[in-house]
Amino acid sequence: MARLLPDYYAKSIFDVPMSFYKEQGITHVISDLDNTLDAFDVLLPSKRVVELAKKFSDHGITLIIITNNTEKRVKDYATALNVAYLYSARKPFPKKIIRFLNKNEIDRSKLLLVGDQLMTDVKCAKKGNFKVMLTEPIVKKDQWTTKFNRLFDRPIRKRYLKRGLLQKLEVPYGKR
Ligand SMILES: [Mg+2]
């Protein structure tokens, strides 16, 4: 049942210090949008996301938003952050993401996928052979499509946490 175990775990992407990415040799972070950066109904980036994007850029790390949601959902959001994006990414299938990475000549070994869902984000990373960090969803509310995935996500995540598996992968924030 460790099939969907991520490489790293953090309560939130905002807890992860820049030194972590440096130490892991990560130059590109492909982040999920809904419930990883902001709630699905937050149309423009919140202040802490703006700050995070600036931090990444200051540290020479490229942030890219990769979402299963529509172009309409992500376009203005990503433009406000001045970051590249891929919409309708079809996670858990890695095909579109791989095509995007190849087109932009992004080295998969220096890449980290970050997302709040086991059934889309982590599963996609496993299939595509990307490193992946699982986070907790920012808020409890989800779009209806996500609600379905959560039914499968919740018991697996619970089991991982009960066995201490995710805690072992937790990025030690503030200590680096
Ligand atoms: Mg999400």
Side-chain angles (χ1 to χ4, degrees):
M1 234 13 257
R3 202 165 45 85
L4 286 175
L5 210 55
D7 298 288
Y8 309 102
Y9 170 73
K11 297 259 157 41
S12 136
I13 191 171
F14 304 100
D15 291 339
V16 181
M18 289 296 131
S19 53
F20 162 78
Y21 301 102
K22 290 265 148 124
E23 279 168 29
Q24 302 301 321
I26 291 156
T27 58
H28 289 74
V29 173
I30 55 174
S31 179
D32 173 51
L33 171 52
D34 295 327
N35 249 339
T36 299
L37 293 175
D38 267 312
F40 77 90
D41 53 358
V42 174
L43 301 182
L44 286 171
S46 56
K47 191 168 163 257
R48 63 178 184 169
V49 177
V50 173
E51 285 165 2
L52 179 70
K54 186 175 182 308
K55 248 196 237 174
F56 276 132
S57 142
D58 288 348
H59 284 79
I61 298 163
T62 305
L63 173 67
I64 299 162
I65 297 177
I66 296 206
T67 177
N68 279 356
N69 219 323
T70 58
E71 181 170 29
K72 188 169 178 279
R73 161 66 177 122
V74 69
K75 192 177 178 214
D76 292 346
Y77 188 98
T79 305
L81 291 174
N82 196 24
V83 301
Y85 62 93
L86 176 68
Y87 62 93
S88 308
R90 293 198 209 112
K91 292 177 278 184
F93 305 104
K95 198 171 155 191
K96 265 189 98 170
I97 297 179
I98 291 170
R99 206 187 299 146
F100 176 90
L101 298 176
N102 290 343
K103 200 176 123 199
N104 293 285
E105 294 177 357
I106 297 166
D107 183 350
R108 241 190 277 185
S109 69
K110 293 178 180 163
L111 178 92
L112 180 70
L113 191 156
V114 181
D116 68 301
Q117 285 197 69
L118 287 167
M119 304 315 291
T120 54
D121 303 307
V122 175
K123 205 179 219 177
C124 177
K126 295 286 172 188
K127 284 176 189 276
N129 205 17
F130 318 129
K131 270 181 265 176
V132 58
M133 178 186 284
L134 175 71
T135 66
E136 291 298 318
I138 287 180
V139 292
K140 288 236 159 22
K141 61 183 174 186
D142 281 311
Q143 240 167 332
W144 67 271
T145 41
T146 309
K147 277 184 187 153
F148 180 76
N149 283 323
R150 292 272 183 229
L151 293 178
F152 299 94
D153 183 310
R154 234 172 263 128
I156 300 172
R157 189 184 297 245
K158 222 175 184 178
R159 200 170 328 135
Y160 286 167
L161 283 167
K162 204 172 160 195
R163 291 185 189 167
L165 295 174
L166 290 175
Q167 291 88 331
K168 267 191 220 158
L169 303 169
E170 200 159 350
V171 175
Y173 355 111
K175 291 180 197 139
R176 291 172 182 238

